[in-house]
Amino acid sequence: MALLRPAFLLLILFTLITGGLYPLLTTALGQWWFHDQANGSLIREGDNVRGSRLLGQDFTQPGYFHGRPSATADAPYNPMASGGSNLAGSNPELDKEVAQRVAQLRADNPQADTHVPVELITTSASGLDGQLSPQAAEWQIPRVAQARNLPVQVVAKLVAEHTSTPLVNFIGQPVVNVVELNLALDALKDK
């Protein structure tokens, strides 16, 4: 009994620290120092939430930039079913899906180069990516400009304005947030 009492007290103490105090402290510090990130990096327009900077959305209309294909279950970009397709590179079903995506992208973007950027064809591991490379966004500019009756230069300027570069080049590549870019396109027609 003499050995069980200290062990039991330590169990209670560490349960209170790691199960109560530590989560409360990290939540409070996260809300204080990283309020936007701790609450989902939401994109707001007035009182309306339009999306998150971290998650893609299923844009399919010709006047919008399309993101990476999503492999989430039930519906595209479903955060409750995040995950890839788990198809191996040698799987004929994956080859069929990629060929269909390439054919669809070429049909939807007849003015673009026939070399389709790979990230517009393949899904990500999470199926939720909201960013593209600037090259993949630029590949779609002719279609978006034509669908919105805008000069190509105006759409290209928007892509350049919404391209984020890392602080240091070896940390990552420049990216374009598709949701924010499409919201900026919608804001153009409101002006």
Side-chain angles (χ1 to χ4, degrees):
M1 194 60 158
L3 293 175
L4 289 178
R5 183 177 173 169
F8 186 67
L9 289 175
L10 282 175
L11 173 68
I12 292 173
L13 176 69
F14 284 123
T15 301
L16 290 173
I17 291 172
T18 60
L21 184 61
Y22 179 76
L24 287 174
L25 180 66
T26 56
T27 300
L29 291 176
Q31 289 293 327
W32 183 32
W33 287 335
F34 306 104
H35 181 75
D36 184 51
Q37 294 89 337
N39 291 298
S41 300
L42 299 177
I43 301 170
R44 297 182 185 273
E45 285 183 351
D47 291 336
N48 297 328
V49 174
R50 297 296 304 268
S52 170
R53 287 179 189 84
L54 305 175
L55 301 176
Q57 292 183 16
D58 191 22
F59 294 102
T60 57
Q61 296 176 348
Y64 288 101
F65 286 90
H66 302 171
R68 288 188 80 166
S70 175
T72 59
D74 300 329
Y77 301 100
N78 178 1
M80 300 305 288
S82 173
S85 68
N86 291 331
L87 296 176
S90 60
N91 190 314
E93 185 65 30
L94 180 61
D95 292 339
K96 181 180 167 188
E97 286 179 16
V98 167
Q100 288 173 343
R101 288 181 192 137
V102 169
Q104 186 65 49
L105 284 164
R106 286 182 178 155
D108 292 345
N109 298 276
Q111 309 95 327
D113 182 16
T114 57
H115 175 73
V116 181
V118 72
E119 64 198 278
L120 293 175
I121 302 167
T122 58
T123 62
S124 68
S126 70
L128 303 173
D129 282 359
Q131 288 107 8
L132 289 175
S133 68
Q135 296 79 15
E138 290 164 1
W139 188 84
Q140 300 179 67
I141 288 174
R143 172 185 43 89
V144 174
Q146 181 182 14
R148 289 187 176 253
N149 295 319
L150 291 170
V152 171
Q153 297 83 1
V154 170
V155 179
K157 183 179 178 203
L158 266 181
V159 170
E161 289 172 357
H162 286 85
T163 299
S164 302
T165 55
L167 189 59
V168 184
N169 283 343
F170 66 84
I171 291 178
Q173 300 295 319
V175 293
V176 177
N177 187 298
V178 178
V179 175
E180 290 178 335
L181 178 58
N182 286 332
L183 289 174
L185 279 168
D186 286 344
L188 280 179
K189 70 178 177 186
D190 295 338
K191 291 182 180 179

